[in-house]
Amino acid sequence: MSVLRTENLTKKFGGVVATDSVSLKLDVGKVHALIGPNGAGKTTFIAQLAGQLIPDTGRILLNERDITTLNEPARVRAGLTRTFQISSLFNDFSVLENVAFAVQANTGHSFKFWSRVSNDKKLNETAGALLDLLGLNDKAEKKASVLSHGEQRQLEIAMALATRPTVLMLDEPMAGMGSEETQRLTRLLENLKSETTLLLVEHDMDTVFALADDVSVLVNGALIASGAAAEVRQRADVINAYLGVDA
């Protein structure tokens, strides 16, 4: 059953067709990877899903609700959340406080966002559970600024999960990570499938095919393949267009 789908999504910038009538669907409880060479249109496509860009034509449906014209905050409230390639954290606050702020903001009390959260037991219990899920419970009292790059990405995902997303979009989560951190985050993301559907934009093909149930391939703004990961990686057009002849 699809939780998110697009119908003929098209976005042009002058004479450049950045997204060319893309129809894609994400199934509940799966990891769906979106891959393609640089300039393929992945960023533009994700920006339309997130509400940063409005498509010229086509529709975006979340749980069969048309969200095409909703702004970014409204999409988050509807259950569609994204992380970015560059982390944005409150570095002078503790790891627990970072997540607690995200939980607090999600309650709708944005006017209390900067209030002290350390004495709010329920808030901290919720934040602590998210840290435990992402393997950061032993870092709860440390400042976000002292975390390793991989741990900061884990914290960013914990904060995103505070919005209780139906679909979580991850933009290059492995960027800048070493092998050990990549392997650890890969294991954590595998476990997140029980919590939310994941849309993964990633260049690391080892990570993509270790994690993804389904893969979609964009080339020059057009979707050239979409389906089960094991099938997509064997397609000649995908190998020629992106994976390389040695794949």
Side-chain angles (χ1 to χ4, degrees), residues 103-164:
V103 174
Q104 187 183 65
N106 190 55
T107 65
H109 299 295
S110 57
F111 59 90
K112 293 178 57 182
F113 187 74
W114 289 107
S115 67
R116 191 72 178 172
V117 298
S118 58
N119 295 322
D120 192 320
K121 182 179 179 181
K122 184 176 181 181
L123 200 63
N124 283 280
E125 285 178 349
T126 303
L130 288 168
L131 290 181
D132 188 53
L133 180 65
L134 271 297
L136 288 173
N137 50 326
D138 61 334
K139 303 288 195 295
E141 300 306 319
K142 293 184 179 294
K143 283 190 175 182
S145 59
V146 305
L147 296 181
S148 70
H149 177 66
E151 289 168 342
Q152 288 184 343
R153 300 316 300 263
Q154 291 170 238
L155 176 55
E156 184 187 32
I157 293 170
M159 294 172 69
L161 289 174
T163 67
R164 299 180 180 180

Side-chain angles (χ1 to χ4, degrees), residues 33-38 40 42 202-210 212 215-219 224-225 228-247:
L34 180 66
I35 66 173
N38 290 332
K42 301 185 300 295
E202 181 57 58
H203 279 104
D204 185 328
M205 288 300 98
D206 289 337
T207 297
V208 166
F209 289 109
V215 174
S216 293
V217 185
L218 277 179
V219 176
I224 67 166
E231 297 175 1
V232 170
R233 76 181 302 173
Q234 299 298 326
R235 287 183 49 157
D237 54 351
V238 173
I239 293 172
N240 291 333
Y242 182 55
L243 296 179
V245 293
D246 293 332

Side-chain angles (χ1 to χ4, degrees), residues 25 29 45 47 60 67 86 98 123 132 137 149 158 160 198 229 234:
K25 69 181 182 71
F45 181 73
I60 304 167
I67 63 168
I86 300 174
N98 267 266
L123 200 63
D132 188 53
N137 50 326
H149 177 66
L198 300 176
Q234 299 298 326

